[in-house]
Amino acid sequence: RRVVHTEDLGGLTLLAAAVGPDTEPVPDVRALDRVAATTPWMLATLDAVAETASLRAAAATLRVHHSTLQDRLAHTIPALGWDVREPQGRLRLQVALALRRLHRTHL
């Protein structure tokens, strides 16, 4: 989402307060930036995976077959260094995307 209200963040407000345009991005954010610059479809794919309840829902959001999504996600592993199909990888993706957005905006 483009707009997130502070009251909807809960404990993530601590993260939001600590990160901004002037802080150094963590390696996961730099990996997302590289992906966005080199593979245009990958960032939209990762956003869909992070924001939907399942990979099938992400595929539907992207209007691709679920096997196509699986193929795309296989390409993300070497690019990011972790597997977004795993529960901890998905959480890591969600945090990295949130950090990336925080680096690009100021609250």
Side-chain angles (χ1 to χ4, degrees):
R1 295 178 294 184
R2 296 219 182 259
V3 176
V4 178
H5 298 280
T6 303
E7 60 270 11
D8 294 336
L9 289 176
L12 291 176
T13 55
L14 295 172
L15 182 64
V19 177
D22 297 328
T23 57
E24 184 67 26
V26 297
D28 288 354
V29 172
R30 287 194 297 268
L32 287 174
D33 287 341
R34 279 192 309 275
V35 161
T38 59
T39 314
W41 57 262
M42 200 178 290
L43 197 57
T45 299
L46 293 171
D47 275 330
V49 168
E51 294 195 12
T52 56
S54 69
L55 293 181
R56 285 193 183 262
T61 297
L62 295 165
R63 299 177 192 259
V64 299
H65 193 269
H66 63 89
S67 63
T68 300
L69 178 63
Q70 290 288 351
D71 288 342
R72 287 183 179 186
L73 294 179
H75 292 288
T76 67
I77 297 168
L80 296 177
W82 75 88
D83 191 346
V84 301
R85 298 171 294 186
E86 302 286 329
Q88 70 187 56
R90 188 173 173 148
L91 175 60
R92 186 173 174 177
L93 172 64
Q94 291 166 332
V95 171
L97 287 168
L99 288 170
R100 185 174 187 268
R101 288 181 186 112
L102 288 169
H103 279 289
R104 296 172 169 276
T105 61
H106 185 59
L107 297 177

